Amino acid sequence: MGRGERAPVALQSGVARCALITGANRGIGQQVARVLARDGWDVLVGARDGKKGNAAAARLRDQTGGRLKAVELDVTSDAAVAAAASALRDGAIRIDALVNNAGVYREARGPDGVARTIETNFFGPLRVTLAMLPLLRDGATITNVTSELGALANLDAGHRRLLASSDLTRDALVGHMRDYVRGGGEGWGTDAYGVSKAALNALTRLIADELAARQIRVNATCPGWVRTDMGGRGAPRSVEQGAASVLFGVMAIETGRVLRDGRRIAA
Ligand code: NDP
C-alpha cells in the first residue's frame, strides 16, 4: 500500500439501475458506460456533441447489448445542462449514479485555457450535480473524476490550508475559483488543471456533507494515468483499469472521500 493510502473501502452490492455519465463519448467515460451497460444498468451517455453521443450510444449498444441512450450535455453551459435535466425529468428518469467524468487537460495554459479548465473541471461537476439533484434518488452516488495532480501537496501552503479548512463553504470555494479565473490563473503553486481538481476534491467533501441527509454518497475517484486521448499512449494504465478505479465511486458506501482503486489517497 503506497504512502497516504488507507484500507480498502467497502463495496455495496446494490441494485442501482440508472447512471448518467458526462463526457461518455470516448475515453474513461465511455468505458465506465460500457461496464455499467454490461452489468445491466440503464446508461445515459452524456456528450457535448449530440452526434458523438448518439454514435457512442449506438456503438456501446452493439458491443454490450445493453440499454444506452445519448444525452446532449455540455457541462460548461447552464442552458445545455438545464435542458438535459428538463428532458430527463419529462422522461420520468431517476438517476442512481451520476459520474462527473468530462474534463479537459491540455487547455490549462493562458487566460482562456485557465477559464475553460476551471469551467469544465470544477464548475461543470457543480453545475451538473445541482441540476440533476431533483432527479437523483435518495441513496444515489455521485462520482467526481479527479486526478493526482489535484493533490493538496501540489499547492502552495496558503491554498493548501484554504482547501483543507473545515471552515470552507461552497460559496467561498466558488468565490475563490472565480477570483482565480479573473486573475488569469496566477498563484496557487500549480497549473489550472491541478487547481481545478484540488478544488473539485474540496467540493466533493462539501457536497457530501450537504447530501448526507439524503444518503447520497459523493466521492472523488482518480483513474491513475491512463492511455486515452488525454493521457497519451505512454501512460501506464489501460482505459479498463482507469474506469475500474472510477467505478469504485459508483459503488462506494463511504462518502466525502478521494479514492484510487477503491482506497483512500492523500488529497
Ligand atoms: P479524454 O480527453 O479522452 O475524454 C474527455 C471527455 O470529456 C470527452 O468525452 C470530451 O468530449 C468530454 N468533455 C470535454 N469537455 C466537455 C464539456 N464541456 N462538456 C461535456 N463533455 C466534455 O479524457 P479521459 O477519458 O482521459 O479523462 C476523463 C476524466 O479523467 C477527466 O475528468 C480527466 O481529467 C480525468 N483524468 C484522466 C487521466 C488520464 O490519464 N487520462 C488522469 C487523471 C484524471 P469531446 O469528445 O466532445 O471532446
Side-chain angles (χ1 to χ4, degrees):
M1 204 180 291
R3 193 166 59 91
E5 291 183 351
R6 302 195 191 160
V9 290
L11 291 183
Q12 192 188 34
S13 58
V15 286
R17 284 288 169 263
C18 177
L20 169 61
I21 303 147
T22 67
N25 55 291
R26 62 188 167 101
I28 294 165
Q30 175 176 243
Q31 179 61 19
V32 169
R34 185 181 283 122
V35 171
L36 291 177
R38 266 196 201 125
D39 283 356
W41 289 58
D42 291 336
V43 179
L44 301 166
V45 176
R48 61 178 155 181
D49 177 328
K51 279 191 199 144
K52 287 186 190 171
N54 282 327
R59 186 165 60 241
L60 293 172
R61 276 195 302 272
D62 282 351
Q63 292 170 1
T64 66
R67 296 180 300 275
L68 302 107
K69 204 174 140 199
V71 176
E72 195 169 318
L73 191 56
D74 179 341
V75 303
T76 64
S77 161
D78 285 335
V81 171
S86 163
L88 294 176
R89 194 184 54 234
D90 290 349
I93 298 290
R94 302 301 304 276
I95 296 171
D96 299 286
L98 168 62
V99 183
N100 285 310
N101 163 79
V104 291
Y105 172 63
R106 286 178 211 285
E107 289 87 340
R109 290 179 196 285
D112 288 353
V114 167
R116 200 170 321 127
T117 301
I118 300 296
E119 198 53 54
T120 308
N121 296 0
F122 173 77
F123 285 109
L126 176 58
R127 183 179 286 114
V128 173
T129 296
L130 295 180
M132 298 300 164
L133 266 188
L135 306 181
L136 287 178
R137 286 188 207 279
D138 290 354
T141 59
I142 300 174
T143 305
N144 294 325
V145 181
T146 189
S147 164
E148 281 173 87
L149 298 176
L152 287 179
N154 294 331
L155 304 184
D156 62 40
H159 290 101
R160 204 180 303 156
R161 272 197 302 275
L162 175 86
L163 292 191
S165 168
S166 54
D167 293 334
L168 185 69
T169 63
R170 172 148 66 86
D171 284 350
L173 179 60
V174 163
H176 286 298
M177 286 301 97
R178 293 220 170 97
D179 289 346
Y180 176 74
V181 170
R182 261 196 299 273
E186 293 300 315
W188 287 71
T190 187
D191 68 1
Y193 183 80
V195 171
S196 72
K197 296 294 191 182
L200 180 63
N201 293 344
L203 180 69
T204 299
R205 288 190 285 272
L206 294 168
I207 301 260
D209 285 347
E210 290 177 31
L211 298 182
R214 290 181 57 192
Q215 286 84 46
I216 293 177
R217 286 145 294 141
V218 189
N219 292 284
T221 56
C222 171
W225 183 16
V226 177
R227 289 187 295 278
T228 59
D229 293 341
M230 182 184 290
R233 274 181 292 182
R237 293 189 136 202
S238 67
V239 74
E240 288 82 3
Q241 289 172 305
S245 184
V246 170
L247 282 158
F248 276 100
V250 172
M251 307 303 282
I253 287 173
E254 293 198 352
T255 191
R257 309 293 191 213
V258 181
L259 307 169
R260 188 181 56 232
D261 298 331
R263 295 168 193 271
R264 291 174 66 179
I265 56 171

